Each structure stands twice: as structure tokens, then as C-alpha cells.
């Protein structure tokens, strides 16, 4: 068992449990008064209230519906022992050791993660993603490229360019024509690919669904009506105009086979006519009863799938050209196939083999939430949390105080050599959070510490982007520092981990490692309780296992065993040509082997028996009377018992060392 597991077991925690909730516990006494805040027990200088004890009891006894007085008293004794060990660890100063602090901080960071996420925003995005996953969209776009770090001037120029293109489209010009001429997405235009002409898509991106596009693009596309053109949409690639050309129920994942007749490079009109005639011939054979698989093998130009009957790998709507996806959507039954259709690759026939439609929200929830938390949507979640933290703690900022950095920060920062200037003094307040103020100097130190050699960009953009990061880090650190104050259950959880680590460290030193290292003590303990470790009557026996052996071989082996010939000699005599016999010799107690138990424990070989196609024979060499087990025979078991013994003695010492007071009358009143 790992140290982490032991700590978790010590405090009965599990990552699979939901966040702890505050227990609403009703206490009653003969007078009907509230006992929850009363002191149930005092251990050393530590006071345990009824409420604190019952919270721990109920969390560790989740199957207990009612409070059983006997169970409560037994658990209180265990809890007292636990608290005594923690007190002893503190007295030994284990909580001051750096290794302990580092380990606890690591656990606390993990425990804090669920509290540093906007669950409401997360759930909203998961629901949104599911609803979008039920539809496939087909859209075209026009892209005007722009660096993510573009200056305000370059940003404005790009925006004006794309707005000019949009105006032309809104005045009646064809979207695909504008995309072909002006889009900076190279796939829009014809291009050479290794000597082969690849036709441009004129902005057509084909079909897609949730998570297939960058989030800003996806969000804008799903807001459009069919035929509508968006306003400019900003992504990390630049500005986009999006035209929605189709929306249909989601295809999900599809398994299909195809027959493909490819156009040759530089295909002429007569090539197209010839391919059309050939695909129609294939289609006629298919309709006449020939199998799709045999026709794919004989005629498909996709040789990577032809010998598999044309079978493709599973794919979604964004993995194939749009005409292919459209034809798939027309097939309603598994095993059905399309009529021949043409794309810029050539001529196709498709056969639908299998399909996985989107599941229910409940079935899709875990996968969708994982995707939401790992892609760009996580930024939206973080922004939502940052906004809430600002509101909770009265965040106020002075944008004017930031302007000094537009001149104070020089290009040297892109070389990683920028130094904080002596003038201006940078003492002005940038923002405040709760009762804490952050100055220009705080931000300057952040810039100096985080700078690295990187590509030059607009200073204003660089300063603003890093200021946002600085503010976000400050906000998250501030919220993290408030968790114990805001969430009592989190404070209790961290304390349990703290106590669990201390318990492990001290118990390891006093009990677990001690029992392993203390050889003399272990031997003395075994000598005092050796009567607890006894062998029953044992048989010194061999099991002969014959495989493909004839009767003469078995009879020969029996005779040799009866003559007390050693097992090794018997093996040599029987296996002289091929291995037909294996022998296993051991000491057996009753219950160790059904075969050994089935024979009388008298000296010599026993009659062979058939089992699982093999012949088995038992040979009893000797029997041993009951006796004491030596330490080397039961070291693991004795060590475990010795650890329990040491712990009991330790508990006695701790109970004698620390005063313990329990209000048993109060305990009896808890129902």
C-alpha cells in the first residue's frame, strides 16, 4: 500500500466522493436543548464538540442510518486514539518539518482545484456543447489573417478589409467568388500539391459539429440561420466571415465502405466520361447481385481499402468532404449503398456499414465535461470565475496607472533583459482587492520575473496581455487563500489530510518501520506467543503429473517410487525420449490440496487418477506431527501481529501521557 493510500485510509477519503456538504444534525436531550456546540471530549488541551465528532462519525459510517449508542461509543474510542497520535506527532514537531509542509501543500493544491472552478459556467458549457453536438453544420468562410498579437492599427486595417468584403457580399456578390479571390485561407484557391492540381474549396469548410472548430468560430456559426452571413469573427487566426449553408441532425460516427474511381492527373473531359461509364457499370453489377466487397477489390482505386472490401475507418462529419457526408446522410439502413456520385476526386459509391448517433445527455456528460475543461472553453470558465472573484472582493483598478508601462517597457523585454526603471517610481496603485492594494511596482516585478526571449510584438499589446495574466494570478491566489474561511468543509478536509500525514509519519516511525527493523524484539515477541503459530499434521508428498504417457510408463514410475528411488532419477528414467512426467514435492497440510486430501497419508505411491486429460499420482514420503512454526516460516504474519502489539502498547502510553475526559452523559443523549 502506498503512503498516499494509507493517508487516505486514515481519514477515510476518496476522490470519487462529491464535495463534502455541511451536515444538518439534529440533537436532542431530555430537555430538548441544542447539544451540538457542547464539549463531548477533552484530549490533552484539545476540545472535541458533539458537532465535530458526529460529522466525522457520519462521514466514515455512511451505511449507518441511525445513531447506535454502542457504535458511537466504540467509534469515540477509536477517534480518541487517532487524536492522541496526532497530538504526539505535534509534540514531536513533525508539523514543523519542511517535508511535511511541502507534502501537505501538494495535497491542498489538489483539494482546492474543484473550488477554483466556476461550476455554473462549466455546466452551462457542457449543456451547450451537447445541444450543438446534435446538429451538423456546413459553412463557408473568408479569412483575413492577423497575428494574435497584432497592434491596434493592424487590427483596425484587417477589420476594415473584411468589412469591405462583407459589404460587397451583402450587396449581392457571390460569397464563394469573394472567398476564392480574397480569402487568406489557402484552401480556398486552386493549388499545386506535388504536381497534382488540387481544386480550391472556395471557402467551403464542409460539415462540422461541436469541438471541431475553434470555439469562437463554432459559437458564431451555431448562431446563424441557413444562408446568413456573420459579422467579422475574431479568432487567433484573424478575422472571419462565416456563411451557414446547411444544418442537419448530427451524423455522429459512421463506419462505411466505398468504391472510388480517381481522376488521373490533368484529367480531360474524355477521362471524366470514361470514369462515369465505368462507375455506372460497377453500379449495375452491384444491383445485379455482385457483392460490394468483390467489386471494391476489383475496381476501387483506393488500394488501401480495396482488399478490405472498401471499408474505411470510423469517421465523423468533419473528416470527409461535404459531398461524401451528404450522400451518407441519405442512407437510412445498414447495408444500403448510394448511387454513383461525383466529387473533385472522382466517382464514388458508398455503403453504410454501421453508425453511432449522439447518445443521451447523461451518457455523454462525462466525455463532454472532460472536453470542455481541456479545450478553449476552459478559458471561458476561468474568465467567468475571475469575474465572480472581482465582484466578491470589490476589485477596483486604475487603467490610467497602467499607461506608464507603455513607455517604461522597452524592446529589451523580448530579449529577456528588461530591467525595472528607477524613474518613474512606479508607486501608484494599479488595483485593489479586498483590503489589499497592488502597485505599479508589483506589476513591474511580475514583468521582470516572467520575461523571456520571445518574438517582438506591439508593446501596448504585450503590456495589456501580461497585465491581464498578472491580475488573474493575483485573483486566483487571493481566492485560494480564502478557501478555509469561505468553505468550512474545505477547512475540515485539509485538516484531515494534515492529521493523516502526521499520523502516517509518526506511526511509521513508532510501529511499521520499527517492527521490521527490530529483529530482537520480533524474535522475543514470537518466542512469547509461538503457540499461536502452529502447523497441523503435514504430509511430505509428491504429485506425479503424466501427459501423453502410456500405461507401462505410469506402472514403471509407480514401481520406482515404491522402491524409494529419488524423484530426479525417476524423471530421467521416464523422460528419456520425451517429457511426459513432471513431479512436484512439497509439505502439505489438510486443505492445501484436494488431491492430497483425497488419499490416505500412508507411505508409498497411491493409485493414479485421471484429471483434465492428464494422469495424476500421489506419493507419500513421510508425515510430520503438529508443531510450532519457526519465525522464518511465518515472518510476515508475526511482523503484522507484532505491529498490532506495539500499537496497543503505544496507545496505553499515550492514554497515560495525555489527560482524557469524556462526557458520557452527553454521549448517551445523542440520538
Amino acid at each position: 500500500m502506498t503512503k498516499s493510500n494509507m493517508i487516505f485510509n486514515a481519514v477515510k477519503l476518496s476522490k470519487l466522493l462529491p464535495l463534502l456538504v455541511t451536515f444538518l444534525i439534529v440533537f436532542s436531550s431530555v430537555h430538548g436543548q441544542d447539544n451540538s456546540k457542547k464539549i463531548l471530549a477533552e484530549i490533552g488541551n484539545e476540545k472535541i464538540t458533539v458537532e465535530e465528532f458526529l460529522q466525522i462519525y457520519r462521514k466514515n459510517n455512511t451505511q449507518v442510518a441511525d445513531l447506535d449508542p454502542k457504535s458511537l461509543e466504540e467509534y469515540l474510542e477509536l477517534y480518541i486514539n487517532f487524536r492522541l497520535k496526532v497530538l504526539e506527532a505535534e509534540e514531536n514537531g513533525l508539523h514543523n518539518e519542511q517535508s511535511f509542509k511541502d507534502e501537505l501543500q501538494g495535497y491542498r493544491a489538489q483539494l482546492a482545484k474543484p473550488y477554483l472552478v466556476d461550476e455554473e459556467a462549466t455546466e452551462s458549457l457542457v449543456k451547450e456543447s451537447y445541444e450543438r453536438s446534435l446538429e451538423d453544420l456546413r459553412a463557408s468562410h473568408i479569412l483575413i489573417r492577423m497575428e494574435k498579437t497584432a497592434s491596434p492599427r493592424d487590427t483596425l486595417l484587417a477589420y476594415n478589409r473584411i468589412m469591405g468584403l462583407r459589404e460587397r457580399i451583402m450587396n449581392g456578390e457571390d460569397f464563394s467568388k469573394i472567398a476564392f479571390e480574397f480569402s487568406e485561407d489557402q484552401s480556398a484557391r486552386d493549388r499545386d500539391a506535388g504536381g497534382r492540381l488540387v481544386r480550391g474549396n472556395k471557402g467551403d469548410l464542409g460539415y462540422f459539429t461541436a469541438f471541431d472548430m475553434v470555439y469562437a468560430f463554432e459559437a458564431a456559426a451555431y448562431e446563424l440561420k441557413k444562408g446568413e452571413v456573420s459579422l467579422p469573427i475574431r479568432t487567433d487566426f484573424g478575422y472571419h466571415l462565416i456563411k451557414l449553408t446547411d444544418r442537419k441532425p448530427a451524423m455522429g460516427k459512421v463506419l462505411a465502405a466505398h468504391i472510388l474511381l480517381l481522376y488521373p492527373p490533368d484529367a480531360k473531359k474524355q477521362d471524366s466520361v470514361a470514369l462515369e461509364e465505368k462507375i455506372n457499370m460497377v453500379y449495375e453489377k452491384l444491383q445485379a447481385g455482385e457483392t460490394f466487397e468483390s467489386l471494391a477489390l476489383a475496381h476501387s482505386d483506393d488500394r488501401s481499402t480495396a482488399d478490405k472490401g472498401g471499408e474505411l475507418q470510423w469517421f465523423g462529419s468533419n473528416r470527409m468532404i461535404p459531398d461524401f457526408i451528404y450522400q451518407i446522410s441519405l442512407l437510412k439502413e445498414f447495408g444500403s449503398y448510394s448511387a454513383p456520385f461525383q466529387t473533385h476526386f472522382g466517382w464514388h459509391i458508398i455503403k453504410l456499414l454501421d453508425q453511432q448517433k449522439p447518445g443521451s445527455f447523461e451518457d455523454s456528460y462525462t466525455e463532454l465535461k472532460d472536453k470542455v475543461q481541456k479545450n478553449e472553453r476552459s478559458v471561458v470558465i476561468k474568465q467567468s470565475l475571475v469575474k465572480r472573484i472581482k465582484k466578491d472582493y470589490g476589485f477596483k483598478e486604475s487603467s490610467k496607472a497602467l499607461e506608464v508601462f507603455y513607455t517604461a517597457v522597452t524592446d529589451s523585454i523580448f530579449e529577456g533583459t528588461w530591467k525595472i526603471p528607477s524613474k518613474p517610481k512606479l508607486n501608484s496603485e494599479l488595483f485593489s482587492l479586498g483590503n489589499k492594494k497592488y502597485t505599479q511596482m508589483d506589476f513591474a516585478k511580475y514583468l521582470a520575473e516572467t520575461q523571456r526571449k520571445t518574438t517582438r510584438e506591439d508593446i501596448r499589446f504585450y503590456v495589456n496581455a501580461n497585465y491581464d495574466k498578472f491580475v488573474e494570478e493575483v485573483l486566483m491566489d487571493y481566492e485560494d487563500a480564502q478557501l478555509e474561511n469561505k468553505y468550512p468543509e474545505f477547512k475540515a478536509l485539509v485538516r484531515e489530510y494534515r492529521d493523516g500525514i502526521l499520523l502516517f509519519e509518526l506511526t511509521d516511525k513508532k510501529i511499521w518501520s520499527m517492527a521490521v527493523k527490530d529483529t530482537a524484539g520480533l524474535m522475543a515477541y514470537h518466542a512469547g506467543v509461538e503457540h499461536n503459530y502452529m502447523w497441523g499434521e503435514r504430509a511430505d508428498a509428491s504429485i506425479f503429473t503424466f501427459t501423453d504417457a502410456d500405461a507401462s510408463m505410469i506402472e514403471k514410475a509407480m514401481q520406482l517410487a515404491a522402491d524409494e528411488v529419488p524423484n530426479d532419477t525417476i524423471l530421467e528414467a521416464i523422460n528419456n525420449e520425451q517429457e511426459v512426467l513432471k513431479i512436484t514435492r512439497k509439505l502439505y497440510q489438510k486443505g492445501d490440496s484436494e488431491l492430497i486430501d483425497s488419499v490416505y497419508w500412508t507411505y508409498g505411491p497411491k493409485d493414479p487418477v485421471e484429471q483434465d486429460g492428464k494422469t495424476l499420482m500421489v506419493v507419500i514420503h513421510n508425515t510430520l506431527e503438529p508443531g510450532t512454526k519457526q519465525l522464518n516460516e511465518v515472518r510476515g504474519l508475526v511482523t503484522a501481529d507484532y505491529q498490532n502489539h506495539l500499537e496497543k502498547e503505544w496507545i496505553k502510553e499515550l492514554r497515560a501521557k495525555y489527560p482524557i475526559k469524556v462526557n458520557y452523559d452527553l454521549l448517551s443523549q445523542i440520538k
Side-chain angles (χ1 to χ4, degrees):
M1 181 179 290
T2 65
K3 180 176 180 181
S4 294
N5 286 338
M6 288 182 171
I7 293 169
F8 293 164
N9 288 338
V11 296
K12 306 286 187 187
L13 296 172
S14 171
K15 290 183 180 178
L16 298 178
L17 291 175
L19 292 176
L20 299 174
V21 297
T22 304
F23 287 96
L24 179 62
I25 304 172
V26 179
F27 305 97
S28 62
S29 69
V30 291
H31 303 294
Q33 65 195 55
D34 182 8
N35 291 323
S36 63
K37 302 301 180 184
K38 288 188 175 182
I39 304 302
L40 177 63
E42 296 182 39
I43 308 168
N45 58 2
E46 188 175 24
K47 293 178 171 57
I48 309 297
T49 66
V50 171
E51 180 179 44
E52 179 184 351
F53 171 67
L54 283 184
Q55 284 184 354
I56 296 294
Y57 173 83
R58 288 192 167 175
K59 189 167 67 173
N60 295 337
N61 295 272
T62 55
Q63 304 302 316
V64 178
D66 299 316
L67 298 178
D68 173 54
K70 183 178 179 181
S71 175
L72 279 172
E73 189 167 343
E74 290 173 350
Y75 191 79
L76 179 59
E77 291 303 309
L78 293 174
Y79 187 63
I80 288 172
N81 292 343
F82 173 74
R83 297 308 314 164
L84 285 170
K85 294 174 185 177
V86 174
L87 285 173
E88 183 72 359
E90 291 173 342
E91 185 164 304
N92 280 269
L94 296 184
H95 62 302
N96 293 323
E97 294 181 2
Q98 191 59 46
S99 59
F100 163 78
K101 293 178 180 178
D102 292 342
E103 186 171 3
L104 178 60
Q105 182 55 37
Y107 283 121
R108 187 194 176 280
Q110 291 298 315
L111 295 172
K113 283 183 178 180
Y115 292 87
L116 299 176
V117 174
D118 191 325
E119 283 297 329
E120 186 176 342
T122 302
E123 293 302 311
S124 176
L125 287 168
V126 171
K127 185 177 180 182
E128 174 190 80
S129 299
Y130 177 73
E131 291 172 349
R132 289 178 180 174
S133 73
L134 299 179
E135 272 193 307
D136 287 339
L137 305 187
R138 183 176 180 180
S140 296
H141 85 137
I142 296 169
L143 170 66
I144 298 300
R145 290 192 177 276
M146 180 180 57
E147 293 294 331
K148 181 181 177 181
T149 58
S151 67
R153 178 179 176 277
D154 290 339
T155 301
L156 181 60
L157 287 172
Y159 182 82
N160 288 337
R161 280 184 64 198
I162 203 160
M163 279 299 291
L165 296 177
R166 185 177 189 274
E167 185 175 352
R168 291 174 62 176
I169 293 166
M170 302 311 289
N171 287 334
E173 291 194 50
D174 182 64
F175 189 98
S176 61
K177 182 174 180 294
I178 297 291
F180 188 85
E181 292 182 19
F182 298 103
S183 180
E184 294 176 353
D185 179 349
Q186 295 302 311
S187 67
R189 285 179 292 283
D190 297 346
R191 60 197 185 280
D192 180 85
R196 182 185 181 89
L197 178 66
V198 177
R199 295 293 183 185
N201 60 26
K202 299 181 180 179
D204 187 358
L205 297 172
Y207 287 93
F208 58 89
T209 188
F211 299 105
D212 287 339
M213 300 293 185
V214 294
Y215 182 62
F217 191 101
E218 173 197 310
Y222 272 92
E223 290 297 318
L224 295 174
K225 297 176 182 177
K226 188 173 177 179
E228 192 175 5
V229 177
S230 72
L231 288 166
I233 305 301
R234 176 78 182 266
T235 73
D236 288 349
F237 301 101
Y239 276 116
H240 308 255
L241 293 179
I242 306 172
K243 180 179 181 180
L244 188 67
T245 55
D246 192 17
R247 61 193 315 157
K248 62 183 183 64
M251 181 184 78
K253 300 293 183 183
V254 163
L255 182 65
H258 78 144
I259 297 170
L260 168 64
L261 301 187
L262 275 173
Y263 286 131
D266 302 322
K268 304 294 189 294
K269 184 176 181 180
Q270 58 267 32
D271 295 320
S272 177
V273 172
L275 279 184
E276 184 176 5
E277 291 176 354
K278 183 177 179 181
I279 198 73
N280 286 331
M281 176 269 293
V282 172
Y283 185 62
E284 288 172 3
K285 289 185 176 182
L286 190 59
Q287 289 182 308
E290 292 192 37
T291 66
F292 193 96
E293 293 73 19
S294 63
L295 291 170
L297 179 61
H299 300 289
S300 181
D301 290 332
D302 182 358
R303 303 318 300 170
S304 64
T305 64
D307 60 353
K308 296 182 291 186
E311 184 175 320
L312 299 158
Q313 293 182 340
W314 285 87
F315 59 88
S317 60
N318 69 319
R319 303 299 297 174
M320 293 290 180
I321 56 177
D323 290 334
F324 201 98
I325 298 300
Y326 175 76
Q327 292 292 332
I328 282 284
S329 70
L330 299 179
L331 302 178
K332 305 304 180 186
E333 296 181 2
F334 299 154
S336 61
Y337 50 84
S338 71
F341 65 94
Q342 184 182 24
T343 71
H344 60 271
F345 289 108
W347 283 89
H348 311 253
I349 301 174
I350 305 172
K351 181 180 180 180
L352 179 62
L353 301 177
D354 200 356
Q355 188 170 15
Q356 297 173 354
K357 291 281 191 177
S360 67
F361 179 72
E362 291 73 18
D363 291 339
S364 308
Y365 178 81
T366 301
E367 181 183 358
L368 287 174
K369 186 172 184 180
D370 184 61
K371 285 184 176 181
V372 162
Q373 292 174 330
K374 287 180 178 178
N375 85 337
E376 303 155 281
R377 289 163 170 82
S378 63
V379 176
V380 178
I381 296 170
K382 178 66 73 68
Q383 290 171 343
S384 178
L385 178 61
V386 164
K387 184 177 179 181
R388 178 177 65 75
I389 295 172
K390 285 181 176 180
K391 181 179 179 182
D392 287 349
Y393 300 111
F395 176 83
K396 295 178 182 178
E397 64 182 336
S398 170
S399 56
K400 188 174 182 180
L402 184 64
E403 292 178 2
V404 67
F405 288 95
Y406 299 152
T407 53
V409 176
T410 65
D411 284 350
S412 62
I413 203 159
F414 303 122
E415 297 297 325
T417 59
W418 180 75
K419 289 182 172 47
I420 300 173
S422 57
K423 292 182 181 181
K425 290 296 185 182
L426 303 178
N427 292 327
S428 298
E429 181 182 320
L430 268 179
F431 60 88
S432 62
L433 185 65
N435 57 3
K436 202 168 181 184
K437 301 183 187 308
Y438 296 85
T439 68
Q440 293 167 322
M441 182 56 70
D442 294 320
F443 179 48
K445 290 177 180 178
Y446 172 83
L447 286 174
E449 291 169 2
T450 59
Q451 67 178 322
R452 58 185 177 82
K453 194 167 184 177
T454 186
T455 305
R456 293 175 185 273
E457 59 186 77
D458 181 75
I459 290 290
R460 180 181 290 266
F461 180 91
Y462 180 87
V463 169
N464 289 342
N466 279 275
Y467 173 71
D468 289 341
K469 291 178 185 177
F470 174 62
V471 170
E472 183 179 296
E473 286 188 21
V474 168
L475 290 169
M476 297 302 292
D477 289 345
Y478 193 89
E479 174 72 355
D480 187 30
Q482 304 304 314
L483 293 180
E484 279 83 354
N485 298 326
K486 288 181 71 173
Y487 305 103
E489 73 275 11
F490 177 78
K491 182 178 181 180
L493 197 56
V494 173
R495 185 190 178 196
E496 289 184 23
Y497 270 79
R498 171 194 181 276
D499 293 348
I501 298 170
L502 289 175
L503 176 68
F504 175 90
E505 294 294 343
L506 189 59
T507 305
D508 183 49
K509 290 179 180 179
K510 297 283 291 185
I511 307 297
W512 299 326
S513 294
M514 175 64 72
V516 174
K517 296 175 182 177
D518 184 14
T519 305
L522 185 65
M523 292 175 64
Y525 173 76
H526 175 256
V529 293
E530 61 181 10
H531 57 278
N532 293 332
Y533 310 98
M534 299 291 291
W535 289 114
E537 183 184 9
R538 288 176 291 168
D540 177 6
S542 293
I543 297 177
F544 286 43
T545 303
F546 298 92
T547 305
D548 296 330
D550 57 35
S552 63
M553 290 181 178
I554 297 171
E555 185 176 345
K556 182 178 179 180
M558 287 183 67
Q559 185 59 53
L560 291 171
D563 293 340
E564 301 184 24
V565 175
N567 285 346
D568 289 345
T569 304
I570 295 174
L571 285 170
E572 290 177 5
I574 301 301
N575 293 335
N576 59 345
E577 294 184 2
Q578 62 180 20
E579 186 177 351
V580 297
L581 172 62
K582 291 184 179 179
I583 302 176
T584 304
R585 182 172 180 173
K586 288 172 54 178
L587 290 174
Y588 294 91
Q589 286 192 113
K590 291 291 185 183
D592 287 348
S593 166
E594 290 185 10
L595 181 62
I596 300 295
D597 290 349
S598 69
V599 302
Y600 290 109
W601 287 9
T602 55
Y603 179 80
K606 308 303 173 186
D607 291 337
V609 296
E610 297 298 320
Q611 190 177 99
D612 298 329
K614 297 178 181 180
T615 302
L616 305 180
M617 182 180 74
V618 173
V619 178
I620 303 295
H621 303 288
N622 195 9
T623 57
L624 287 75
E625 295 297 321
T628 303
K629 295 180 179 180
Q630 299 301 307
L631 179 58
N632 65 331
E633 295 176 309
V634 285
R635 180 174 292 273
L637 182 60
V638 175
T639 300
D641 290 343
Y642 184 43
Q643 288 172 340
N644 292 334
H645 167 74
L646 290 176
E647 184 165 15
K648 289 177 182 177
E649 293 301 311
W650 184 34
I651 292 296
K652 289 180 184 178
E653 293 175 11
L654 294 177
R655 283 180 174 264
K657 180 177 180 178
Y658 295 98
I660 301 170
K661 290 172 60 178
V662 177
N663 188 337
Y664 287 102
D665 289 338
L666 183 58
L667 183 64
S668 67
Q669 293 172 15
I670 300 172
K671 297 181 181 179

